[in-house]
Amino acid sequence: MRYPQKQLDCLRFIDEYLVEHEQGPTLKEVKGFLQRDPQWTVDILLARGMLSRIPGKDRSLAVTEAGRDELDKSVLKQ
């Protein structure tokens, strides 16, 4: 499955944020990166298994193994 570039960019931002800060970004921080409301994009990535989160916990966004695989594929295609 091909993912739209905005979804891949969002996924990459969250992955890089996790590496740098050792915790997931808030939706406000994702919004700052995307320059728009991230809820729709995050919900799609969650539904497709690219992201996971712990309900009710702040900063719980994490890239799943499937998400990392997709990021790796997108780098190889460039």
Side-chain angles (χ1 to χ4, degrees):
M1 172 181 274
R2 281 205 57 167
Y3 290 87
Q5 191 60 46
K6 285 192 184 230
Q7 290 176 19
L8 289 172
D9 291 344
C10 181
L11 196 59
R12 187 170 291 109
F13 170 77
I14 293 168
D15 190 49
E16 290 172 358
Y17 191 98
L18 282 161
V19 170
E20 184 176 338
H21 300 281
E22 298 181 2
Q23 62 182 356
T26 63
L27 284 178
K28 185 176 181 178
E29 290 163 332
V30 177
K31 181 179 181 178
F33 170 75
L34 292 177
Q35 298 296 308
R36 63 183 179 85
D37 184 3
Q39 193 64 59
W40 185 80
T41 302
V42 168
D43 287 347
I44 287 174
L45 291 170
L46 287 165
R48 291 183 173 167
M50 302 293 113
L51 288 178
S52 65
R53 81 170 347 153
I54 300 167
K57 182 179 177 195
D58 291 340
R59 298 186 176 274
S60 67
L61 287 174
V63 179
T64 64
E65 188 173 324
R68 283 201 179 80
D69 289 346
E70 195 60 41
L71 287 173
D72 289 345
K73 285 187 226 173
S74 73
V75 169
L76 292 174
K77 290 177 186 175
Q78 293 179 356

